[in-house]
Amino acid sequence: MRILKIFFICNLLLLVSCDFDITGFFVSPSATIEERYVESMELNSSNPSDTIIEVLQENYTIYMCGDIHVINTADNLAQFIEIAKADSSAAFSIILGDITDQKGGMEIAYDTIQKHTTEDFILKTIVGNHDLYFNQWEVYKELFGSGIYSFAVQTPTAKDLYIILDSGSGTLGSKQLQWFEELLSSSRDSYRHCFVFSHTNMWAENFSQFPSGLFSIEESAKISNILSQYSVNYYFNGHVHYRSTTTLNDVEYVTLDEMLDGSDRASYVIVNVEDAINYDFYEL
Amino acid sequence: MKLKIYILLLSIYTISSTLYAQDNSLSFDANIGYEHTLTSGSNIHSEMVLDYTPLNWIEASAGIKISTKNINQLMAKGDFKWWTDDTRFIALRNQYLYSIYADDNLQSLSFGLAAVYDQEYFSIALGANYQFYTSFVNQSSSSRTYVWEPGITYDAKARIFPRSHIWNLEGEVTNCRDFVVERVYNPTFLLNGHYTFTLDDNSPLKLYSQAGFQPSGITHIAVNYYSFIFNIGVVCVF
């Protein structure tokens, strides 16, 4: 009986908590994935210029972090940006989703980015499930733009393809999946390397992922086959807050640690890209 | 070591199933259904399951599912039951599911153990499983070609009438059905209904239908529709 009472009180606290939009258990807290796809494509067509990043040297780096969950402060994000800014070989940086938990957090993250970056610093973002709470997709697209897009990094002799997928709802949806496959089918051969970034992990080889949702098995089968069929080199994601790596059919699946303020395992990843690709985790 | 113990238990189960296959109650379950998923669109499928109950404390079933989305499956399931009275039992369930994702070059084998409690108005099963995934055409030059995933399975049902009632409606939340062993994060919500006829030779014939909905993202509170399923079928008891 006592356990039931504690369970009931915990659930009640969860229901009234500001951290989570409990409506998301029952209905989508933001636009559905199919609606977000349409809106993202409209945003892409109205901003077609931001698709090629040119670097002057053959090798370049990418800085990435995930799950910063900004509520009141974004100190780790600021520190991450400063580290990336100091690297002259950095082509771009990226946050792999879950920018915030609550209303107002996305604006704090955005202000931090504006304050610490200059015009030539490129920071890409991805939609995470927490970014959809409290209908924050509306804020996300206003501040950061599209949630589904691709771009290229052009070196003097090679070109690499980067694809950003919206998996904030635990599925790519039918339209995005078709777009993704058609993009790879039509253009993969024109690029040296190909990287896919998204928020949700594809595999769960241990319970560190619990209870964060994954794709259905059918969807994991579909996406992983597309990744290996088109020789995608890496699939990077956040979502579960614990680093892990899985390799399947020459595709490496890398999950990042969290980087939220106050975390004792906050870390980020630097990827070195040339003919070979290497990456490493760095504690913040 | 754990794997060896598991194989030993499995062997004991298989041998004992054969040894005790004397007295019998055999049923055949066939259904046809429609399924829509965001990944593969609209599909038609058919399932066939043979269920054998040689003694009241043991039940074994095996079946096949074929689908127009080219995901074809074989299943085997066995329950060791301990009847606590005439209407209630506790069971240890073994469940195996082999799936071929023909269009996506993937095959998976799921094997699991679950504890089951079943009584007139509800039943619940809770267990653990492992899923092994590998491609059936190896595209890899040198890297690893398989993934292991541990999982938790659950299946909870509640009925409006006792189990043996001539007709019934049942609500179900599950990630583990005969031909579905989904990740713990992806439940399916089902509404099951059946009507039982008794034929001239006293053989019961059960007609049933099933409608289900699977959301995605439910456990990370950003739910989205993922799939819908509808089955209609018949169970013949011999």
Side-chain angles (χ1 to χ4, degrees):
Chain A
M1 201 60 195
R2 194 176 166 192
I3 292 169
L4 275 175
K5 277 182 187 168
I6 293 168
F7 180 75
F8 179 74
I9 291 166
C10 288
N11 275 289
L12 197 65
L13 286 172
L14 190 66
L15 282 168
V16 298
S17 156
C18 295
D19 291 356
F20 301 104
D21 186 355
I22 301 299
T23 58
F25 275 129
F26 313 104
V27 291
S28 178
S30 282
T32 65
I33 183 61
E34 306 291 27
E35 291 164 344
R36 299 203 301 276
Y37 170 81
V38 172
E39 291 180 35
S40 287
M41 289 301 120
E42 283 169 3
L43 286 164
N44 291 347
S45 55
S46 60
N47 281 306
S49 59
D50 189 24
T51 52
I52 295 183
I53 298 168
E54 290 189 26
V55 293
L56 300 175
Q57 64 280 18
E58 287 297 343
N59 62 314
Y60 62 91
T61 56
I62 307 160
Y63 282 69
M64 62 179 79
C65 66
D67 297 276
I68 56 175
H69 291 265
V70 173
I71 299 173
N72 297 314
T73 61
D75 298 338
N76 282 354
L77 175 61
Q79 198 182 337
F80 167 77
I81 292 170
E82 291 300 330
I83 293 166
K85 260 165 61 177
D87 183 352
S88 59
S89 66
F92 68 94
S93 300
I94 185 163
I95 305 170
L96 300 180
D98 282 1
I99 294 167
T100 185
D101 272 337
Q102 295 182 19
K103 280 182 175 175
M106 211 171 285
E107 286 88 342
I108 293 171
Y110 182 77
D111 291 343
T112 304
I113 292 165
Q114 295 303 307
K115 188 175 163 189
H116 288 269
T117 55
T118 49
E119 232 175 56
D120 58 343
F121 184 85
I122 299 168
L123 181 68
K124 304 282 186 183
T125 57
I126 288 177
V127 180
N129 56 305
H130 287 254
D131 301 321
L132 301 173
Y133 292 178
F134 306 105
N135 193 26
Q136 288 191 105
W137 164 246
E138 296 302 320
V139 184
Y140 181 94
K141 68 181 181 188
E142 182 71 29
L143 297 179
F144 300 108
S146 172
I148 304 163
Y149 53 99
S150 68
F151 58 93
V153 173
Q154 173 82 63
T155 73
T157 61
K159 198 161 63 162
D160 302 322
L161 177 62
Y162 293 85
I163 301 172
I164 310 300
L165 301 177
D166 178 348
S167 58
S169 298
T171 175
L172 298 186
S174 56
K175 292 172 187 165
Q176 183 178 200
L177 192 61
Q178 190 181 349
W179 171 84
F180 176 49
E181 190 165 12
E182 283 175 4
L183 175 65
L184 284 169
S185 156
S186 63
S187 58
R188 175 64 183 98
D189 290 345
S190 313
Y191 296 91
R192 176 181 59 173
H193 302 310
C194 180
F195 299 79
V196 173
F197 299 114
S198 195
H199 182 64
T200 301
N201 42 312
M202 197 77 67
W203 309 108
E205 289 203 292
N206 57 58
F207 280 112
S208 69
Q209 285 87 355
F210 191 83
S212 300
L214 272 77
F215 296 107
S216 71
I217 293 172
E218 183 185 343
E219 191 160 359
S220 281
K222 181 77 180 174
I223 299 170
S224 65
N225 185 46
I226 292 172
L227 295 174
S228 54
Q229 191 181 347
Y230 293 103
S231 305
V232 170
N233 304 85
Y234 282 86
Y235 176 92
F236 285 102
N237 65 273
H239 192 42
V240 295
H241 295 220
Y242 289 89
R243 72 179 72 171
S244 66
T245 56
T246 300
T247 306
L248 181 66
N249 293 330
D250 291 336
V251 181
E252 189 150 355
Y253 300 84
V254 183
T255 301
L256 271 64
D257 284 321
E258 64 187 9
M259 207 189 72
L260 53 89
D261 284 1
S263 169
D264 56 3
R265 60 171 187 280
S267 79
Y268 61 95
V269 164
I270 303 176
V271 185
N272 289 292
V273 185
E274 42 194 332
D275 283 340
I277 305 163
N278 297 294
Y279 71 93
D280 216 339
F281 289 87
Y282 295 85
E283 308 301 324
L284 199 62
Chain B
M1 188 61 189
K2 278 181 184 172
L3 187 65
K4 285 179 182 170
I5 292 169
Y6 191 84
I7 291 168
L8 180 67
L9 287 172
L10 177 63
S11 308
I12 292 168
Y13 161 73
T14 310
I15 292 164
S16 61
S17 299
T18 313
L19 286 176
Y20 283 99
Q22 301 158 359
D23 211 15
N24 48 60
S25 155
L26 188 67
S27 70
F28 178 68
D29 174 347
N31 73 44
I32 188 162
Y34 166 82
E35 185 182 11
H36 177 268
T37 73
L38 288 183
T39 305
S40 58
S42 294
N43 302 281
I44 303 290
H45 61 255
S46 179
E47 302 171 353
M48 280 165 281
V49 176
L50 203 58
D51 187 279
Y52 186 47
T53 308
L55 295 167
N56 75 343
W57 59 271
I58 187 165
E59 182 178 354
S61 54
I64 185 168
K65 177 179 179 178
I66 51 173
S67 164
T68 56
K69 65 180 174 183
N70 280 339
I71 300 175
N72 301 314
Q73 295 167 300
L74 294 171
M75 63 76 71
K77 190 167 73 175
D79 286 1
F80 281 113
K81 297 175 181 175
W82 176 49
W83 290 86
T84 56
D85 59 30
D86 287 347
T87 59
R88 289 179 284 193
F89 69 81
I90 295 166
L92 179 65
R93 174 170 295 164
N94 276 275
Q95 186 167 1
Y96 307 89
L97 178 64
Y98 174 67
S99 309
I100 294 180
Y101 300 81
D103 291 344
D104 295 319
N105 188 25
L106 193 77
Q107 54 189 329
S108 74
L109 177 64
S110 162
F111 50 98
L113 269 180
V116 183
Y117 176 68
D118 193 307
Q119 56 102 286
E120 292 282 33
Y121 288 94
F122 73 89
S123 76
I124 187 160
L126 186 65
N129 80 321
Y130 253 103
Q131 297 248 26
F132 175 75
Y133 305 95
T134 186
S135 51
F136 53 84
V137 177
N138 189 2
Q139 296 172 327
S140 169
S141 51
S142 58
S143 75
R144 189 174 151 198
T145 55
Y146 63 88
V147 172
W148 280 103
E149 280 187 0
I152 294 169
T153 57
Y154 50 88
D155 184 12
K157 300 173 185 173
R159 310 172 184 104
I160 61 168
F161 294 120
R163 192 196 299 117
S164 55
H165 195 267
I166 192 165
W167 70 274
N168 222 329
L169 279 177
E170 183 180 75
E172 182 177 3
V173 181
T174 181
N175 73 337
C176 186
R177 292 177 278 147
D178 280 353
F179 294 99
V180 175
V181 181
E182 187 52 273
R183 288 156 168 163
V184 61
Y185 324 95
N186 297 318
T188 301
F189 299 91
L190 292 153
L191 181 64
N192 306 314
H194 79 253
Y195 186 85
T196 307
F197 297 93
T198 303
L199 301 177
D200 292 345
D201 59 353
N202 285 329
S203 300
L205 186 72
K206 187 162 86 175
L207 299 179
Y208 68 91
S209 67
Q210 182 178 58
F213 165 73
Q214 184 186 338
S216 69
I218 190 168
T219 54
H220 58 230
I221 326 179
V223 73
N224 202 98
Y225 160 79
Y226 181 71
S227 89
F228 168 78
I229 185 168
F230 179 76
N231 287 330
I232 186 160
V234 60
V235 180
C236 309
V237 180
F238 304 105

